[in-house]
Amino acid sequence: MSELLLRPGLLRGSYPQKQESRLTEFEQNAAIFFDKLRKQFTRNQFNQDYIINKINQYEAPLRNCSEETLTIAILELREKLQRYGLTENLIAQAFATIRETAGRTLGKRHFDVQLLGGWLMINGILTEMETGEGKTLTTTLPACTAAMAGIPVHVITANDYLAARDAEIMQQLYQRLGLKGGSVIDGMETEQRRKIYQYPIVHTTNKQIAFDYLRDRIEMSDDTGPLKSQFRQIQREVKPGNNNPLLLRGLCFALIDEADSVLIDEAKTPLIITQTQPNEEHPETYSDALYLASSLFINDDYSIDPKTREIELTQQGEDTIADLIIGLPKHWQNKRKREMLVKQALTAEYFYKKNIHYVINGDKVQIVDEFTGRIMADRAWEQGLHQMIEAKEGCVITDKREPLARISYQRFFSRYLRLAGTSGTLKEVAAEMHDIYGLQTVKVPTHQPSKRIMMQERIYRTLELKQQAFLARVTELYNHNRPVLVGACSVAESEKVSTWLQQAGLPHRVLNANQDQHEAEIIAKAGQQQAITVATNMAGRGTDIALGLGVAELGGLHVIALSRNDSRRIDRQLYGRCARQGDPGSCEAILSLQDPAIEHFYSSAMLKLFSRFCPEDQPIPDSLGKLILRFPQQQNEKQQRNIRKQLMKQDRHLSRILAFSGKFE
């Protein structure tokens, strides 16, 4: 662990963060290679039996001690941690104390596998823990240990609901250990944020913490050296009412829940702080662009590459636009500008669909997170695309936004002195995690053997056959009183599935971006007998679906996937909603060759060929079905990796040519 973390007292009066590497790309790749070799040789130091035995030695004297004795032990431990830092023996003693305290305050005593997971995380390692294994409770071990040592801890998760929930649930434990914990979520006033960021443990989301960091960078302007950072911190300590103090205490130790979602899925889009500016374009300009786009013909006037999502005008298309602009305002005479606007209109029409990429809430276009199905209320597309989509949907045209500061998640999280986290689905991205963040991934065994039954994935020729098979399966499960969770890939698909169920007379609940505020309530009832819940992607991820009375005896929760997700990890996350913590459960996929993910990837000739292997009303043979499903995912995963890699290169390029870190990082 770095010297700064070993000696927590050094954190006072500074804005600690890791300095960016000055190595060339070749030197960085070489360093990554040798780091992989080194970590292969040191994996044995995380032997589970050794760790558990060491912790148990310290826990034995605490098991039957009085509350007064436990308080004394906690105070002595804090003093040692702040004096000597995070040594192996003190970490073991801290874990034993936290485990005993959690048992008394929360009624939950950490399992041995949770101790292993916490040990890995405090050593800066990502842990793959199966869904339902208690990752939230596991995270309290490294979080409280570091906080007792005087190290500011950020516990980062995917959404505001989980951040607030976890902070509230763990409050009793924090207080008993003499710590303060709180959550920073959307809608908080600046002064309230600043106050909570002074707590030893702060629960928040990746979006909130990264934007607040950017606000600090704007405050520091282009002078971001250690002296100015220290001066700003002294300002905050001496003058609490100062008009422009920094929000954060630095980037010391981050523990990331759902690490793959935060560090990988969200890492393809840079975070940008903007300020509104008057819209140069008249609202009619966007309407005119949409009209011009609708007057063009695909292949003749323009071509589309669905894989790169690029649109190119042909010479005929350029000539057609030139003829169509007669009578339009003068600014349409600018060839470059008019073609850019028309291409943007075509992009809005072809690649951005209502109830898939966005929803209409009142008179506002709100972006939907493609990986979670949740609304990202304060996000907007760049360079006029958002305004073009507003025009397409007949909404009020909002002002454009001018960038003030930007940073990628890759760059932001790499600045933490220590970074760790956990998720149930990390093995597919373990190599990328190491290459980008230098993080090793270790799988933690389950507390109890998994009872999940994975049934065959069925692919039918047509959507109608898929619908029939799906309704027959849900009806069968409903008649046997089993709860069912149905996974859909978009808001539109979830609404369509809801219509199917309504027509079949099957009562159900829908959880998508339009019902986001009711997430906890819907998930709480999803494990009851005869409950049918339709959810977009991973809406509800991070919350347990508790089985109702008698459901375990019936076979537990059954999960049905109605679409193949862009990544294997997302599929595994959906299937992981059932059979948690040793409960029974089962899952299956019911698909068709007419599903968008399959239909958009394969040519019509290939789809006809696949259809020949389908009996009239039976699914495709299992071996062929697996091949059909895997190829699109492999290509998409590769494409997403390239996007993230390109973003990192763009970041480095901007850093070199701008030579400062204030406005554009």
Side-chain angles (χ1 to χ4, degrees):
M1 190 170 289
S2 71
E3 174 66 16
L4 197 53
L5 284 179
L6 280 172
R7 300 296 301 277
L10 295 177
L11 294 173
R12 184 174 176 79
S14 66
Y15 196 97
Q17 60 180 317
K18 190 184 292 182
Q19 296 301 311
E20 290 201 16
S21 172
R22 300 289 183 181
L23 299 177
T24 65
E25 189 170 347
F26 173 78
E27 290 170 333
Q28 286 178 337
N29 290 333
I32 288 169
F33 173 75
F34 286 113
D35 189 47
K36 281 182 179 178
L37 289 180
R38 180 183 64 80
K39 287 178 177 176
Q40 286 297 321
F41 287 112
T42 58
R43 288 184 71 133
N44 290 334
Q45 68 178 305
F46 303 117
N47 178 275
Q48 182 175 350
D49 292 337
Y50 170 78
I51 292 168
I52 302 307
N53 290 336
K54 194 170 188 64
I55 294 170
N56 285 340
Q57 291 174 8
Y58 290 100
E59 189 185 8
L62 298 173
R63 284 180 186 164
N64 299 312
C65 74
S66 66
E67 287 296 317
E68 184 179 357
T69 303
L70 180 61
T71 300
I72 294 170
I74 291 170
L75 292 173
E76 290 177 348
L77 173 63
R78 291 185 57 157
E79 184 181 352
K80 290 178 185 176
L81 282 167
Q82 292 180 24
R83 179 179 296 179
Y84 302 111
L86 299 175
T87 66
E88 184 178 285
N89 286 336
L90 285 178
I91 291 173
Q93 186 178 345
F95 277 29
T97 306
I98 295 164
R99 186 189 210 183
E100 176 64 25
T101 307
R104 298 188 186 197
T105 57
L106 304 177
K108 297 178 180 179
R109 185 174 178 273
H110 297 81
F111 300 132
D112 287 351
V113 292
Q114 291 173 321
L115 294 177
L116 174 61
W119 191 276
L120 293 167
M121 282 194 276
I122 204 165
N123 281 281
I125 292 173
L126 293 174
T127 64
E128 180 171 283
M129 299 180 70
E130 286 288 334
T131 51
E133 287 296 299
K135 292 187 284 293
T136 303
L137 187 62
T138 301
T139 303
T140 61
L141 292 163
C144 293
T145 300
M148 285 193 289
I151 299 166
V153 179
H154 297 153
V155 181
I156 299 168
T157 190
N159 66 70
D160 287 333
Y161 165 73
L162 294 178
R165 182 204 68 179
D166 293 349
E168 184 178 353
I169 289 173
M170 298 304 164
Q171 202 60 238
Q172 279 184 287
L173 174 61
Y174 297 158
Q175 290 175 354
R176 186 66 183 88
L177 293 169
L179 302 170
K180 263 188 172 182
S183 59
V184 174
I185 59 175
D186 198 33
M188 277 188 170
E189 295 295 329
T190 301
E191 197 53 46
Q192 189 180 8
R193 287 172 178 271
R194 185 178 297 114
K195 178 182 177 182
I196 294 175
Y197 276 128
Q198 305 313 300
Y199 292 176
I201 301 174
V202 180
H203 290 259
T204 187
T205 66
N206 47 307
K207 180 185 70 173
Q208 299 295 332
I209 192 78
F211 277 130
D212 284 336
Y213 173 77
L214 278 182
R215 291 181 183 106
D216 280 355
R217 301 292 282 186
I218 293 171
E219 162 64 21
M220 288 187 281
S221 186
D222 59 340
D223 184 357
T224 57
L227 287 178
K228 180 148 188 184
S229 298
Q230 191 170 9
F231 172 69
R232 291 294 189 186
Q233 287 286 14
I234 292 170
Q235 272 189 313
R236 176 163 52 192
E237 293 169 10
V238 176
K239 289 183 173 182
N242 187 34
N243 290 331
N244 294 307
L246 303 179
L247 291 167
L248 306 180
R249 298 165 65 189
L251 304 181
C252 300
F253 189 18
L255 293 160
I256 305 176
D257 190 19
E258 309 298 357
D260 57 326
S261 176
V262 172
L263 296 177
I264 296 296
D265 294 338
E266 301 237 12
K268 66 179 185 179
T269 306
L271 292 161
I272 303 173
I273 284 186
T274 61
Q275 64 179 4
T276 57
Q277 60 176 352
N279 203 332
E280 295 177 359
E281 309 295 349
H282 192 277
E284 289 181 1
T285 299
Y286 299 106
S287 302
D288 291 339
L290 290 164
Y291 162 72
L292 292 171
S294 68
S295 303
L296 302 179
F297 294 93
I298 191 169
N299 297 327
D300 294 333
D301 297 317
Y302 60 92
S303 61
I304 296 177
D305 186 338
K307 292 184 179 179
T308 61
R309 297 167 72 91
E310 290 183 355
I311 293 175
E312 291 297 332
L313 295 172
T314 64
Q315 185 60 51
Q316 178 179 320
E318 294 177 9
D319 295 340
T320 302
I321 295 171
D323 293 336
L324 290 171
I325 64 168
I326 297 172
L328 291 180
K330 188 177 179 180
H331 61 259
W332 284 100
Q333 300 299 320
N334 185 317
K335 183 176 185 295
R336 181 180 177 187
K337 183 174 182 178
R338 70 177 179 239
E339 290 176 2
M340 182 273 290
L341 284 167
V342 171
K343 286 168 70 173
Q344 197 172 60
L346 289 167
T347 299
E349 289 286 358
Y350 276 99
F351 297 130
Y352 293 87
K353 302 296 183 183
K354 181 180 175 182
N355 288 338
I356 296 177
H357 302 105
Y358 61 89
V359 295
I360 305 299
N361 194 343
D363 199 27
K364 294 175 63 178
V365 171
Q366 294 187 315
I367 299 173
V368 174
D369 186 332
E370 62 183 294
F371 294 103
T372 66
R374 293 187 174 97
I375 287 177
M376 299 190 289
D378 56 351
R379 299 272 184 102
W381 286 294
E382 288 185 279
Q383 299 175 345
L385 177 60
H386 201 89
Q387 288 72 24
M388 189 67 73
I389 293 172
E390 288 171 335
K392 182 180 86 166
E393 296 295 342
C395 296
V396 174
I397 307 298
T398 58
D399 288 335
K400 283 187 177 181
R401 299 180 182 181
E402 177 186 88
L404 286 178
R406 58 165 284 160
I407 195 170
S408 66
Y409 278 128
Q410 293 96 322
R411 216 164 161 213
F412 170 68
F413 283 110
S414 295
R415 292 181 178 178
Y416 271 94
L417 297 174
R418 174 122 308 190
L419 184 64
T422 181
S423 178
T425 48
L426 283 172
K427 68 180 182 182
E428 293 91 346
V429 291
E432 189 173 355
M433 287 289 196
H434 191 277
D435 291 346
I436 295 174
Y437 303 101
L439 295 173
Q440 183 183 5
T441 301
V442 175
K443 184 173 178 60
V444 175
T446 57
H447 175 59
Q448 297 180 32
S450 175
K451 296 180 182 177
R452 184 177 302 121
I453 299 172
M454 184 66 214
M455 304 176 72
Q456 180 180 331
E457 297 172 312
R458 291 182 278 164
I459 308 176
Y460 292 89
R461 279 194 309 166
T462 65
L463 185 62
E464 290 73 22
L465 289 172
K466 166 184 167 176
Q467 179 182 347
Q468 292 170 17
F470 164 69
L471 291 174
R473 184 68 171 131
V474 174
T475 301
E476 176 191 357
L477 293 163
Y478 181 79
N479 290 335
H480 284 87
N481 295 328
R482 284 188 65 184
V484 180
L485 176 67
V486 183
C489 68
S490 66
V491 175
E493 186 180 37
S494 69
E495 301 291 357
K496 180 169 64 177
V497 172
S498 177
T499 302
W500 293 352
L501 293 169
Q502 284 175 352
Q503 292 171 348
L506 293 166
H508 61 282
R509 299 288 299 273
V510 178
L511 177 56
N512 59 30
N514 291 326
Q515 288 82 32
D516 206 26
Q517 67 274 25
H518 304 302
E519 178 174 316
E521 174 202 347
I522 295 173
I523 286 296
K525 297 178 180 178
Q528 304 300 311
Q529 289 193 24
Q530 290 192 320
I532 302 173
T533 308
V534 182
T536 50
N537 265 348
M538 289 316 298
R541 182 180 180 184
T543 54
D544 280 328
I545 299 178
L547 299 185
L549 187 65
V551 171
E553 290 75 16
L554 297 170
L557 177 69
H558 185 76
V559 174
I560 300 177
L562 285 182
S563 60
R564 176 59 81 217
N565 287 295
D566 290 340
S567 165
R568 287 175 295 172
R569 288 183 300 107
I570 311 298
D571 292 334
R572 284 213 292 142
Q573 288 161 7
L574 175 61
Y575 297 145
R577 305 300 291 159
C578 69
R580 298 158 78 97
Q581 301 181 24
D583 285 335
S586 52
C587 48
E588 64 180 316
I590 302 175
L591 313 166
S592 83
L593 293 177
Q594 293 179 339
D595 289 347
I598 297 175
E599 198 171 42
H600 292 168
F601 184 81
Y602 294 104
S603 66
S604 56
M606 288 294 293
L607 291 173
K608 286 180 182 178
L609 178 63
F610 295 151
S611 297
R612 294 179 183 177
F613 292 93
C614 286
E616 188 64 30
D617 58 352
Q618 295 298 312
I620 290 175
D622 188 41
S623 56
L624 177 59
K626 287 178 179 177
L627 290 174
I628 292 172
L629 295 175
R630 187 68 197 109
F631 282 133
Q633 280 187 328
Q634 285 178 328
Q635 290 301 309
N636 184 73
E637 288 166 353
K638 181 180 178 181
Q639 183 181 347
Q640 296 301 317
R641 280 195 301 271
N642 289 337
I643 290 173
R644 293 188 289 267
K645 188 175 181 180
Q646 190 61 36
L647 180 59
M648 284 187 66
K649 287 184 177 179
Q650 183 185 20
D651 251 9
R652 293 192 187 112
H653 178 66
L654 279 173
S655 179
R656 283 195 297 270
I657 63 173
L658 294 173
F660 62 91
S661 314
K663 284 195 173 183
F664 291 92
E665 270 291 313

